[in-house]
Amino acid sequence: MLSYTFLRSTGKEDIVVPMIDYEKNGLNWTRKLRSTFADWNTSLQTIITWSPYGTEAELLEQFSSIKEQGTRVIIYNLWEDDQGDLELDFDADVNDIQLRGGNRDEKNIEMAKRFPNSKHFLTYRHSLRVSSQ
């Protein structure tokens, strides 16, 4: 839940990421509180207000593909550049989401293909996969 629109619309300057946890009990997901119910509920309401999911039930539907554990990342409402390309590149590497634009160095990308052991060093400025490892 990182959103420039959220910050602008709420007049916030600091990023506070709303987080909610669930625990899987058999076939059901139950709320897991890490602070107070009020904090948990505030985070849920923020997510519902600013995400593509209008209810907690719709949000929970996203967990259906998660087995015993895991993380699901939802990316939506991306900006397009003047050429109509999305700000994130999903096609250059089927195993990576990459940033387009200034930090992208095509020469380094080609070198990373030739020297896979140096891929982290060569692509860290535009690769979400490399950045998270």
Side-chain angles (χ1 to χ4, degrees):
M1 285 297 308
L2 298 175
S3 170
Y4 176 75
T5 304
F6 170 74
L7 292 176
R8 299 283 296 172
S9 297
T10 60
K12 307 287 185 199
E13 293 185 13
D14 296 325
I15 295 176
V16 176
V17 179
M19 293 178 55
I20 54 177
D21 293 310
Y22 291 91
E23 191 168 44
K24 190 171 186 179
N25 294 320
L27 298 175
N28 299 315
W29 292 91
T30 58
R31 295 176 175 186
K32 185 172 184 177
L33 299 179
R34 298 203 184 265
S35 60
T36 66
F37 177 75
D39 288 343
W40 197 97
N41 201 46
T42 298
S43 290
L44 175 64
Q45 291 308 312
T46 301
I47 290 169
I48 288 171
T49 301
W50 294 97
S51 78
Y53 312 108
T55 66
E56 183 178 7
E58 288 178 20
L59 180 65
L60 285 171
E61 286 177 27
Q62 297 303 308
F63 295 165
S64 63
S65 65
I66 298 175
K67 302 300 180 207
E68 291 304 313
Q69 61 183 349
T71 301
R72 183 166 173 98
V73 177
I74 309 296
I75 299 173
Y76 70 100
N77 201 23
L78 295 174
W79 291 352
E80 293 181 351
D81 65 14
D82 293 339
Q83 289 75 38
D85 293 326
L86 295 175
E87 60 189 312
L88 297 179
D89 183 350
F90 297 92
D91 300 319
D93 183 335
V94 297
N95 297 309
D96 192 10
I97 299 171
Q98 300 179 359
L99 302 176
R100 294 188 197 274
N103 290 332
R104 191 177 173 93
D105 184 338
E106 297 300 328
K107 186 168 73 172
N108 282 353
I109 293 170
E110 289 304 314
M111 285 180 61
K113 290 176 184 174
R114 289 192 2 237
F115 304 104
N117 290 340
S118 299
K119 183 175 183 171
H120 288 4
F121 172 74
L122 294 167
T123 61
Y124 76 95
R125 291 181 181 257
H126 71 272
S127 167
L128 297 184
R129 181 182 183 123
V130 169
S131 299
S132 66
Q133 294 179 347

